[in-house]
Structure formats: structure tokens, C-alpha cells
Amino acid sequence: MNLPTPTDPTDAMTETEALHRMVLASLDDDQAVETVSIPLAGKSSIADYMVIASGRSSRQVASMAQKLAERVKAEFGRPSRIEGLPTADWVLIDTGDVIVHLFRPEVRTFYNLERMWAFGDTLNPTAHA
């Protein structure tokens, strides 16, 4: 089976940007705390964006992860890989172009991924209106 390939190289970036916006909106809708988006394009080949956010409890983290995976599947037709859902202290959602880390606050503080992946950039929480 041949999959269609984009004829315009910007098509893939447009879909990536749309996916990134949808991820941020989904987390905002689910009341994620301290959402940070780190652009990785040109810095790493694993993804174009890494999004890090916190939930107030394991239950909220698990719920946000499941809803996000469902939304990605519904809107983009992409299955997401999810790791860490049983304990929901740190849940990783790999959507391909956007990697999402959801944490309980104390676990996030311990691992401090923002600092590790910032590459000297100044990070500001993503603001949503």
C-alpha cells in the first residue's frame, strides 16, 4: 500500500503546527498547569516540539493523557504511544512530531526536563487566552 506523500514540503510543517496547537489547546481545556513548549526543530531529530505540563493529581494526569491521545487520533488519524499511564506520575505521549510529558508537580520538579532540553534558551510558560 502506498501512502500519499506531500507534494509541498510545507504540508508536513503545517500539519505539525496544527498538531502542536491542538496539543496546547487540549491541555489548556483540561486545566493543565505550567504548560511549556520547547521547539526542537533543528536541535533534535526526535520531534519538532516537546510540551511539558503538570496535573494536580495522578488522576488528572491520566485523564489528560487519555483525552489527548483520543483527540490526536480523532483529528489527525494518528495513534499515539503512551507510557506511564498505570501510575500516572509521569506520562509520556508520543504523537510523532510532538512529544508530551505530563507530570505530577513533585515529579516534574525532580526531573526538571525543561532545563535539560532548553539548550540555553529562555523558557516561558505558554500563555493561552
Side-chain angles (χ1 to χ4, degrees):
M1 178 170 127
N2 290 331
L3 296 174
T5 57
T7 55
D8 182 356
T10 60
D11 286 350
M13 187 55 78
T14 303
E15 184 173 331
T16 299
E17 293 299 325
L19 175 62
H20 180 241
R21 285 190 302 273
M22 191 277 303
V23 165
L24 294 175
S26 178
L27 295 175
D28 188 51
D29 289 347
D30 292 338
Q31 299 179 358
V33 180
E34 297 180 21
T35 301
V36 174
S37 179
I38 303 170
L40 298 178
K43 297 177 184 177
S44 175
S45 61
I46 63 169
D48 290 329
Y49 291 96
M50 179 179 295
V51 176
I52 303 170
S54 297
R56 292 177 181 88
S57 66
S58 295
R59 177 177 277 170
Q60 184 187 15
V61 168
S63 176
M64 287 190 303
Q66 290 172 323
K67 286 180 183 177
L68 180 59
E70 290 167 7
R71 288 172 180 157
V72 169
K73 178 71 171 169
E75 291 187 34
F76 294 91
R78 295 181 181 196
S80 299
R81 293 184 304 175
I82 301 176
E83 303 269 338
L85 201 53
T87 58
D89 287 335
W90 175 2
V91 178
L92 171 90
I93 304 103
D94 184 353
T95 68
D97 297 323
V98 180
I99 295 176
V100 182
H101 295 272
L102 301 176
F103 290 97
R104 282 189 311 104
E106 50 280 353
V107 177
R108 181 176 180 173
T109 300
F110 180 79
Y111 287 102
N112 198 8
L113 287 185
E114 293 97 322
R115 188 157 192 227
M116 183 185 334
W117 281 94
F119 300 108
D121 297 341
T122 301
L123 291 176
N124 294 317
T126 303
H128 296 287

